[in-house]
Amino acid sequence: MASNSNVVFGDEESQLSGGTNRVQPCSSTPRNRNTIDDDGKKQNFLSLSQRLGIQDFFCLDVWRASMGELLGSAVLVFMLDTIVISTFESDTKMPNLIMSILIAVVITILLLAVVPVSGGHINPVISFSAALVGIISMSRAIIYIVAQCLGAVLGALALRAVVSSSIEDTFSLGGCTVTIIAPGPNGPVTVGLETAQALWLEIFCTFVFLFASIWMAYDHRQAKALGHVTVLSIVGLVLGLLVFISTTVTAKKGYAGAGINPARCLGPALIRGGHLWDGHWIFWVGPTIGCVAFYVYTKIIPPKHFLAEYGFKHDFVGVVKALSNV
């Protein structure tokens, strides 16, 4: 059976194959996830709680690892929103391009910093899709997503503390917007992107993000062949490209581009409020649909092209089967 030890965006136990800084498993579940009988057939003895990883809620090491997600998300929000504000405040002729390049660099650096601690998600999209595929448990994904959202709030608070009130008002703390209220010839008018367009763009960008970059991180063969640095650099590059595309193709004033990270959108919305809540649901629903679509894709292709021979322990289909047997 192929090993998943080289999966990049797994939990912290799968990182640093040399053995340093590895958090030991808290569960008594054997590391060999499947038992094979004498006829060579897989026998599944995992209970629903094991499939869901309920033990992760009571594991101190998981909560300690989530601190990497919290701090990583805080720095991510502070840095990305600062980049958004500074590039559009500058006199450059192509702020979208400069912004995208800087975002790619920052994301790559942060992923390299957080991967050894928690697996390097710092994005609910990665945590949720990893849970669907089964690389991490749904329980661990919930812990990580909560940590990411709290970190995003801290990052937005830090940004609010260092920018002037005029910058905060003009750029809405660099938050995710679908529409804004702008002055018009006959009074204030709403400008931005249509709801359906923004939703579809969020779905497409999330799926492309998972397909074109996270795919390499989930596939143990790709991760092993390319190495963590290369894989994480590709993740940052793809995100930068998607930001550039979503902000350039639409060319709509008031639309901040695809979020592809619900936590990053939530932080400024909670701190700044106001119009940042208009259409905020798009930045959650869109990525969720994109994650589900990507999971369906991984189930359609031949298993040997993606998963280990018998799949992952926490795979969503396995969870549903275990639930049906309760």
Side-chain angles (χ1 to χ4, degrees):
M1 179 175 175
S3 170
N4 298 325
S5 61
N6 291 298
V7 174
V8 175
F9 287 115
D11 55 30
E12 72 284 350
E13 296 164 21
S14 66
Q15 307 306 321
L16 299 179
S17 58
T20 58
N21 295 335
R22 294 180 66 182
V23 178
Q24 296 301 312
C26 303
S27 164
S28 59
T29 304
R31 297 298 289 170
N32 183 9
R33 290 187 287 268
N34 300 286
T35 302
I36 310 301
D37 64 13
D38 295 335
D39 295 326
K41 297 180 180 179
K42 181 181 66 169
Q43 295 295 315
N44 191 339
F45 298 111
L46 296 176
S47 66
L48 177 61
S49 63
Q50 290 172 322
R51 289 282 189 182
L52 291 173
I54 299 299
Q55 67 276 2
D56 286 341
F57 284 120
F58 307 99
C59 178
L60 179 61
D61 284 338
V62 174
W63 289 98
R64 291 171 63 187
S66 71
M67 291 299 99
E69 294 294 312
L70 187 149
L71 292 177
S73 296
V75 175
L76 177 71
V77 169
F78 180 83
M79 292 298 295
L80 293 193
D81 293 353
T82 302
I83 289 172
V84 171
I85 293 172
S86 59
T87 51
F88 282 97
E89 275 284 274
S90 65
D91 295 327
T92 179
K93 295 182 179 180
M94 296 189 67
N96 290 3
L97 179 60
I98 302 300
M99 177 181 67
S100 302
I101 294 173
L102 293 176
I103 286 175
V105 172
V106 167
I107 289 175
T108 300
I109 294 172
L110 287 178
L111 288 177
L112 287 170
V114 180
V115 157
V117 179
S118 61
H121 296 195
I122 56 176
N123 187 338
V125 166
I126 297 178
S127 297
F128 182 56
S129 63
L132 289 177
V133 171
I135 295 174
I136 66 172
S137 69
M138 190 60 70
S139 299
R140 184 185 293 262
I142 292 172
I143 294 172
Y144 278 9
I145 291 172
V146 170
Q148 291 156 5
C149 291
L150 290 176
V153 172
L154 293 178
L157 282 171
L159 181 61
R160 188 179 194 179
V162 299
V163 299
S164 64
S165 57
S166 61
I167 292 292
E168 179 183 343
D169 293 338
T170 302
F171 294 97
S172 301
L173 286 179
C176 304
T177 58
V178 177
T179 60
I180 61 171
I181 304 297
N186 300 317
V189 294
T190 301
V191 296
L193 205 62
E194 295 292 335
T195 299
Q197 290 177 294
L199 178 61
W200 279 113
L201 193 58
E202 202 71 31
I203 294 171
F204 291 149
C205 286
T206 299
F207 183 84
V208 171
F209 169 53
L210 293 171
F211 177 79
S213 59
I214 303 302
W215 173 265
M216 299 180 188
Y218 288 172
D219 189 332
H220 61 88
R221 299 166 306 167
Q222 295 262 42
K224 182 178 180 180
L226 297 175
H228 286 181
V229 175
T230 301
V231 170
L232 297 179
S233 298
I234 292 174
V235 171
L237 177 62
V238 170
L239 273 175
L241 286 172
L242 289 173
V243 169
F244 178 73
I245 292 171
S246 64
T247 55
T248 304
V249 172
T250 56
K252 288 283 189 177
K253 181 181 179 181
Y255 177 60
I260 324 176
N261 186 331
R264 189 193 81 78
C265 298
L266 179 65
L270 285 173
I271 300 305
R272 173 64 180 165
H275 69 278
L276 288 178
W277 288 113
D278 297 338
H280 179 76
W281 62 271
I282 292 173
F283 301 107
W284 287 90
V285 174
T288 299
I289 296 174
C291 288
V292 172
F294 176 76
Y295 174 70
V296 171
Y297 172 72
T298 66
K299 304 304 291 185
I300 293 174
I301 64 173
K304 66 180 180 180
H305 292 315
F306 179 40
L307 304 179
E309 184 180 359
Y310 294 114
F312 290 108
K313 171 182 175 181
H314 303 293
D315 179 80
F316 182 71
V317 170
V319 172
V320 173
K321 290 181 179 178
L323 182 62
S324 64
N325 292 330
V326 172

